Amino acid sequence: VQLVESGGDLVQAGGSLRLSCATSGFSLDYYAIGWFRQAPGKEREGVSCISSSGGTTYYADSVKGRFTISRDNAKNTLYLQMNSLEPEDTAVYYCAAGPPWVTWSRASEYAYWGQGTQVTVSS
C-alpha cells in the first residue's frame, strides 16, 4: 500500500493549488481517503475526506466552500483543489487511507499515510 502526495508549493494569499494523492496497492472502492494537515506546533487536523463509494464528502468548517476533494478511479488518484488560500492554510498536507466506516476527521483511524507535501501561503 502506498500513497504519494504532490502539488504543494508556495502561493500568495487568494491563490489556488491542487494537491494530488497517487495511490497503489489497494482499491479505492474499499477505502475512505482523507486529507489532513499539520502546521508547526499544532496537531494534525482533518481537512476533507471522500467515502469509499465516492458518493460522500466531508470538509472541515475552515475550508468549506474553498476546498474540493475528488478522485479519479481510473488513475487511482485523489485530488484536493484548494482555492482562496489563506496564510492559515500553511501546513504539511497528508493523504491517508482508512476503512469505509472511519470517523473521517480522526487521524488515528487511518491505516496508511503518505509522506506529506508542503503548502505555504504568503500574506
Side-chain angles (χ1 to χ4, degrees):
V1 174
Q2 193 172 21
L3 300 96
V4 180
E5 304 93 336
S6 62
D9 205 346
L10 170 64
V11 64
Q12 287 190 335
S16 298
L17 282 175
R18 188 177 79 159
L19 304 184
S20 299
C21 172
T23 71
S24 61
F26 66 98
S27 171
L28 292 177
D29 291 339
Y30 301 109
Y31 285 87
I33 304 295
W35 282 98
F36 289 78
R37 66 187 181 187
Q38 189 165 19
K42 295 188 177 181
E43 292 188 357
R44 191 167 297 190
E45 66 170 340
V47 175
S48 182
C49 176
I50 188 165
S51 65
S52 56
S53 69
T56 304
T57 57
Y58 306 88
Y59 296 95
D61 288 343
S62 59
V63 306
K64 277 181 184 175
R66 300 189 298 123
F67 290 11
T68 303
I69 191 171
S70 63
R71 75 184 201 186
D72 184 335
N73 286 355
K75 296 182 178 179
N76 293 319
T77 300
L78 289 298
Y79 303 99
L80 185 68
Q81 178 67 44
M82 306 188 296
N83 299 328
S84 301
L85 283 162
E86 304 168 352
E88 293 74 22
D89 296 316
T90 295
V92 177
Y93 284 70
Y94 302 87
C95 60
W101 53 86
V102 70
T103 303
W104 80 267
S105 60
R106 195 169 292 170
S108 61
E109 296 189 14
Y110 288 77
Y112 306 106
W113 290 81
Q115 84 290 348
T117 186
Q118 176 70 48
V119 171
T120 304
V121 184
S122 63
S123 57

